[in-house]
Amino acid sequence: MASKNAIENTTGSGGETHQQASDDKVLTTNQGIRISDNQNQLKAGSRGPVLLEDFVLREKIFHFDHERIPERIVHARGSAAHGYFEATEDISDICKAAVFTKGTKTPVFTRFSTVAGGAGSVDTPRDVRGFAVKFYTTQGNWDLVGNNIPVFFIQDAIKFPDLIHAAKMEAQTGYPQAATAHDTFWDFISLMPESTHMIMWAMSDRTLPASFATMEGFGIHTFQMENEAGDVTFVKFHWKPKAGLQSTIWDETVKIAGADPDHQRRDLFERIDRGDFPEWELGIQAFDKAFADSLDFDVLDSTKIIPEEMLPVRVIGRMVLDRYPDNFFAETEQVAYCPGNIVPGIGFSNDPLLQGRLFSYLDTQKSRLGTANFHQLPVNAPKCPVMNFQRDGQFQMAVPKGRTNYEPNGLSEGAETRPGDEPGPRECPVTGYRSIAAATGPDEEGGKLRIRAESFADHYSQARLFFRSLAEPEQAHLASALVFELSKVGLAHVRTRMMANLVNVDPKLAKRVADGLNMEVPEASPSAAPVKDMEPSPALRIIDGPRAPKSIEGRTIAILIADGSDAGVVDELTSQIGDAGGRPVIVAPKIGGAKMSDGSVLEADFQLAGGPSVLFDAVAVVLSAEGCTQLLKEAAAVQFVMDAFGHLKAIGHTEEAQPLLDKAGVEPDAGVTDLGATFIKVAATRIWAREPKVRMLA
């Protein structure tokens, strides 16, 4: 039966395909002129020269040549979604912003990104992830522009160009792309002790998130909130994923980049498409000046955190992403986030990194989007009334009427006023935005100085806190990451300088890295302030931490089948996975599926060679003896199981599949089970106890 949207194809004299309009949907130029032929240029004769008068060709090629806009200098590779923020708790005691009125739902547009790579780079490098949220509030747009890591490399925004120049591909060679494992980055970092805490995070599993839905987000800086009475509270913002914290491991990450360069973008789209909407809680750490004064670090220092055990996170709302963009370029590419977009009740602190960002983002958006009117693009436009006397500029979309384009004005007060002399909008001292001027501590006013506060001088204590708070496997991963990165550094003195900084963090860490490089451990580098031992913070862990996943909800479980697989077992397993909130997918040698034990054909979601186990959270191998014999000859099948075991994933299997597991080198442990309730339970997380054994086998 023909589709109601079927289009009739005809063939031209040269064999080209023509699709002709059967209704009023006729192709036009940008000037609205209908097009008679969209397949051929206008020529003098069928084989003659193309005529310059062909305005259809000229316009089409001209527009195509200008379709790309400058990509972001950082955060160029991004994915985004629409959704809403719902205020779930009453915080009117500390904040008057309408977005936080309990029960209020506010539209949002959230963009996730990598930092170093270009727009065409892969989704899964070792890199910080941007986590930017645009709230379209009733009081105007508020942009909370953060990362998936709560600290940053530098304390002062004046160093940002140096940081990015050092981190990006090297100026002489043009590589590496989306990677920091090179001389210039580590030369800069080793000379910037303030970066050490961030480096601990960057080399940890936090920069290998399994998906956008399983990573945290942070506002990084200290902000201010004000209530109706004018009382000021200082806050730090936290996004906590409902799906729990999950990361990949390095070998898996490298293979994902080859198997699916768009892995995280695709995951975001597919979650929304199937109704498994990503969700986060928004929390705040709220404190006053007395609390800030009690700390032995500075809350204006963006290289520091306030441990959650010291100041718990108060959950105040939730964000749900439930709609993928209709057009990637129009929305995801053209969205413009600016930390300076703020609403009444929320204010800035004197964090010197934040203060620099308030200028930088506005400037870069104008440069990238080509006009000061970028706020008029639909994705950037506020959803509340916008009224002012700003006029003109490139790509002005508004058509203001009248001649009162200034304020104050009084044309309308006379007897001979004309249409269009209306006075227009006016300021409002009551509801308008008023800057919050409270100080977090001393020395926030005074003479003009280019100086860094002494309270910013401790660069190693929190780096030590982070490393010593991690679970043992996470510490091992961090050390391995440092070895990998520094092994790519060709200058021995840079490696030595970096290890000298690591001695201040933890001598055992420095020794592990030195052993991995086959170098001597140097003396500790000088420290500008004494290094202190802080109480470990379990909240910083991914493995066995408070936000580790507890079930398979939201996780993708692959079921590998072949001809002869038991249809009843597959049906039962599929139901069990679905009932537990997981997503079952079928993998077979061919995309058309496999002939099951009952004679039916079960179609596959993935072809085996194109669906390696790195794309899934756990695997079930449901084979008959015949199917196992078949797959023993398939290198992709052996690799599928070998990688699942090596990447510490749960493996459920039928008894008949055992020969394939044996060939793949799978050894018995708690994560290798038969099919059923035990498999569903262990599939909730990786089998970390397996890792030392796998390392030894490697």
Side-chain angles (χ1 to χ4, degrees), residues 450-522:
R450 285 192 185 273
I451 194 170
R452 191 127 354 147
E454 290 184 12
S455 53
F456 281 43
D458 183 359
H459 302 315
Y460 297 113
S461 296
Q462 288 215 355
R464 176 178 292 179
L465 161 71
F466 179 76
F467 179 72
R468 293 182 177 178
S469 297
L470 300 181
E472 193 284 326
E474 292 176 280
Q475 291 183 344
H477 298 166
L478 191 155
S480 295
L482 284 165
V483 170
F484 174 87
E485 295 262 327
L486 293 174
S487 292
K488 301 282 188 177
V489 174
L491 304 174
H493 70 278
V494 173
R495 297 195 298 266
T496 299
R497 189 195 301 142
M498 190 63 221
M499 284 191 293
N501 291 349
L502 294 178
V503 174
N504 287 318
V505 177
D506 188 286
K508 292 180 181 178
L509 170 62
K511 179 68 164 58
R512 290 170 83 162
V513 174
D515 287 347
L517 298 172
N518 196 24
M519 296 178 68
E520 294 295 321
V521 179

Side-chain angles (χ1 to χ4, degrees), residues 270-427:
E270 291 181 348
R271 283 177 187 265
I272 293 172
D273 191 52
R274 66 177 182 261
D276 180 19
F277 302 136
E279 182 175 337
W280 291 260
E281 293 177 326
L282 177 63
I284 57 173
Q285 288 177 300
F287 57 97
D288 58 15
K289 182 178 180 298
F291 178 86
D293 288 343
S294 72
L295 302 174
D296 56 5
F297 53 89
D298 200 316
V299 297
L300 298 182
D301 180 354
S302 286
T303 69
K304 305 295 190 296
I305 63 168
I306 303 176
E308 292 184 31
E309 291 77 10
M310 184 181 294
L311 182 62
V313 174
R314 175 184 176 185
V315 174
I316 61 173
R318 69 184 187 116
M319 177 175 68
V320 178
L321 300 183
D322 58 5
R323 182 166 68 86
Y324 202 74
D326 294 319
N327 183 274
F328 184 86
F329 176 82
E331 298 177 279
T332 305
E333 277 301 289
Q334 292 195 128
V335 67
Y337 294 95
C338 299
N341 292 346
I342 206 85
V343 294
I346 305 172
F348 313 115
S349 72
N350 289 326
D351 175 342
L353 180 61
L354 172 60
Q355 291 292 319
R357 294 179 74 203
L358 298 180
F359 166 77
S360 176
Y361 279 69
L362 188 65
D363 186 59
T364 197
Q365 302 301 1
K366 190 273 172 190
S367 175
R368 194 174 66 85
L369 296 170
T371 173
N373 291 316
F374 65 82
H375 60 279
Q376 295 180 3
L377 292 167
V379 72
N380 296 320
K383 300 185 186 298
C384 64
V386 174
M387 295 175 284
N388 56 50
F389 294 104
Q390 294 173 19
R391 295 290 188 266
D392 306 338
Q394 287 184 310
F395 315 126
Q396 174 61 252
M397 298 299 163
V399 184
K401 296 180 180 179
R403 52 181 177 159
T404 49
N405 57 359
Y406 56 91
E407 187 274 334
N409 64 70
L411 295 180
S412 61
E413 296 174 5
E416 298 88 13
T417 59
R418 324 175 176 172
D421 283 350
E422 291 81 6
R426 293 291 188 269
E427 65 191 37

Side-chain angles (χ1 to χ4, degrees), residues 190-221:
S190 65
L191 291 166
M192 294 284 288
E194 68 197 67
S195 300
T196 309
H197 188 196
M198 179 66 172
I199 281 297
M200 292 296 101
W201 288 79
M203 295 297 107
S204 78
D205 294 345
R206 295 282 185 147
T207 49
L208 304 176
S211 69
F212 300 133
T214 57
M215 69 182 192
E216 290 182 299
F218 303 90
I220 303 174
H221 313 286

Side-chain angles (χ1 to χ4, degrees), residues 531-598:
V531 184
K532 297 180 287 291
D533 289 322
M534 301 176 67
E535 195 68 28
S537 171
L540 299 178
R541 297 180 180 175
I542 296 176
I543 301 171
D544 298 328
R547 281 174 288 280
K550 304 297 191 294
S551 73
I552 66 168
E553 184 176 358
R555 293 168 72 81
T556 301
I557 314 297
I559 304 173
L560 177 61
I561 63 170
D563 288 344
S565 291
D566 191 312
V569 171
V570 173
D571 286 345
E572 175 64 21
L573 180 58
T574 299
S575 296
Q576 289 178 324
I577 294 170
D579 290 345
R583 175 196 175 210
V585 297
I586 302 298
V587 180
K590 298 179 180 178
I591 194 64
K595 189 174 183 179
M596 308 299 284
S597 60
D598 61 1

Side-chain angles (χ1 to χ4, degrees), residues 560 562 588-590 607-609 627-641 660 663:
L560 177 61
K590 298 179 180 178
Q607 182 236 2
L608 178 58
C628 185
T629 300
Q630 172 193 348
L631 291 192
L632 284 171
K633 304 171 186 176
E634 293 265 4
V638 177
Q639 194 69 46
F640 183 94
V641 177
L660 180 60
K663 187 170 183 178

Side-chain angles (χ1 to χ4, degrees), residues 74 78 151 193 266 322 520 697:
V74 289
V151 293
R266 189 187 313 279
D322 58 5
E520 294 295 321
L697 292 173

Side-chain angles (χ1 to χ4, degrees), residues 77-92:
R77 171 75 183 186
S79 305
H82 295 273
Y84 63 87
F85 171 76
E86 181 180 11
T88 57
E89 298 297 325
D90 178 14
I91 63 166
S92 58

